[in-house]
């Protein structure tokens, strides 16, 4: 299968910009998923393919934050990794069990949920920071499993959900929380992509150009982040998410 020039340009641009916003705040799926669907990739495969294309960026981010990774109190880094692996696997298997017709119905609601998270994420994190109980007991582990299951099923808004959860678990240092987020994102995405590939859900011709574009976008995002006001970036992502959500509801 060969890609038409317009389709190739569309997915490369989407992946490049997605790499930028993932490096800065997350939300790349708002661009890669609709771009792939627009070029004719079925919804389930589009979700799996977009996630696979962005995997190198997650791995690079996890490596960049390796010196800041600390587990929440009452948990270990190995435990977090194992739970994240299990959650990513469960979410990916659930996606494979979802028909394209059902996923097409679910996607607008997932995009709406992710958009609202981006819009109210900072306030949510502030609220949770005041109510954090700092324990990694049964409910903390269950929370990690649930968030990673969501990430394995649908990538959008995953970073915001993770940061909120880590705040609730008492991780109030944003750098440490980001380190944990990047580690979990890489682990669960890697597991999800392995299962997507096993299940035949990935459209491979789109992967090389999108992955390369996403990596280049991530490098550009690291530079842009030094000069771009965070509020401007977040507002831009919310607008993109809102427009994408409306378009999917209107389909």
């Amino acid at each position: 299968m060969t890609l038409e020039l317009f389709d190739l340009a569309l997915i490369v641009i989407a992946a490049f910009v997605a790499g930028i916003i993932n490096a800065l705040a997350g939300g790349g799926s708002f661009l890669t998923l609709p771009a792939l669907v627009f070029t004719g990739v079925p919804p389930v495969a589009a979700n799996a393919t977009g996630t696979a294309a962005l995997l190198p960026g997650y791995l690079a981010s996890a490596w960049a934050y390796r010196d800041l990774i600390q587990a929440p109190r009452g948990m270990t880094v190995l435990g977090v990794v194992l739970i994240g692996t299990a959650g990513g696997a469960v979410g990916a298997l659930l996606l494979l069990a979802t028909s394209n017709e059902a996923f097409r119905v679910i996607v607008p609601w997932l995009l709406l949920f992710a958009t609202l998270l981006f819009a109210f994420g900072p306030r949510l994190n502030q609220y949770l920071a005041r109510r954090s109980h700092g324990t990694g007991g049964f409910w903390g582990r269950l929370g990690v499993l649930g968030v990673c299951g969501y990430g394995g099923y649908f990538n959008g808004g995953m970073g915001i959900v993770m940061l909120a959860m880590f705040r609730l678990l008492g991780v109030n240092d944003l750098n440490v929380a980001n380190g944990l987020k990047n580690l979990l994102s890489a682990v669960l995405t890697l597991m999800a992509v392995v299962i997507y590939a096993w299940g035949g859900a990935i459209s491979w011709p789109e992967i090389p150009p999108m992955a390369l574009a996403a990596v280049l976008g991530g490098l550009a995002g690291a530079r842009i982040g030094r000069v771009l006001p965070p509020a401007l970036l977040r507002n831009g992502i919310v607008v993109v998410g809102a427009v994408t959500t409306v378009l999917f509801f209107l389909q």
Side-chain angles (χ1 to χ4, degrees):
M1 173 184 173
T2 58
L3 295 170
E4 297 291 338
L5 183 59
F6 176 80
D7 291 349
L8 177 62
L10 179 63
I11 62 173
V12 164
I13 292 172
F16 179 75
V17 180
I20 292 176
I21 64 177
N22 272 348
L24 297 172
S29 298
F30 285 136
L31 296 175
T32 56
L33 176 60
L36 285 163
V37 170
F38 183 82
T39 60
V41 180
V44 170
N47 187 50
T49 303
T51 300
L54 296 176
L55 175 60
Y58 287 125
L59 294 172
S61 296
W63 177 257
Y65 273 82
R66 65 190 183 281
D67 59 325
L68 293 171
I69 296 173
Q70 300 174 29
R73 192 173 64 185
M75 302 177 70
T76 64
V77 172
L78 177 59
V80 170
V81 168
L82 292 176
I83 295 170
T85 301
V90 170
L93 289 170
L94 183 59
L95 178 68
L96 293 183
T98 306
S99 67
N100 282 303
E101 293 73 18
F103 194 68
R104 194 180 295 275
V105 173
I106 295 170
V107 161
W109 296 101
L110 291 172
L111 288 171
L112 177 62
F113 174 67
T115 302
L116 292 174
L117 279 176
F118 270 98
F120 298 103
R123 294 180 184 177
L124 176 63
N125 276 322
Q126 291 173 7
Y127 171 77
L128 291 177
R130 295 193 297 268
R131 297 179 59 87
S132 64
H133 46 72
T135 178
F138 171 78
W139 292 111
R141 289 172 172 80
L142 188 62
V144 174
L145 182 67
V147 168
C148 291
Y150 168 81
Y153 186 80
F154 180 70
N155 209 251
M158 177 178 65
I160 299 296
V161 178
M162 284 187 182
L163 287 176
M165 179 190 62
F166 288 136
R167 282 296 183 104
L168 192 59
L169 293 177
V171 182
N172 293 320
D173 186 319
L174 184 58
N175 287 324
V176 172
N178 265 322
L180 283 168
K181 172 182 70 69
N182 291 334
L183 174 65
L184 267 185
S185 296
V187 166
L188 76 88
T189 301
L190 179 60
M191 175 52 65
V193 168
V194 169
I195 292 176
Y196 294 157
W198 168 78
I202 295 175
S203 180
W204 291 106
E206 288 84 359
I207 293 294
M210 290 185 73
L212 177 60
V215 170
L216 294 175
L219 295 174
R223 292 180 176 272
I224 294 172
R226 298 177 183 273
V227 296
L228 190 67
L232 178 62
L233 173 69
R234 180 168 295 279
N235 290 338
I237 294 173
V238 169
V239 170
V240 170
V243 171
T244 303
T245 299
V246 170
L247 290 176
F248 269 84
F249 269 117
L250 293 176
Q251 275 192 339

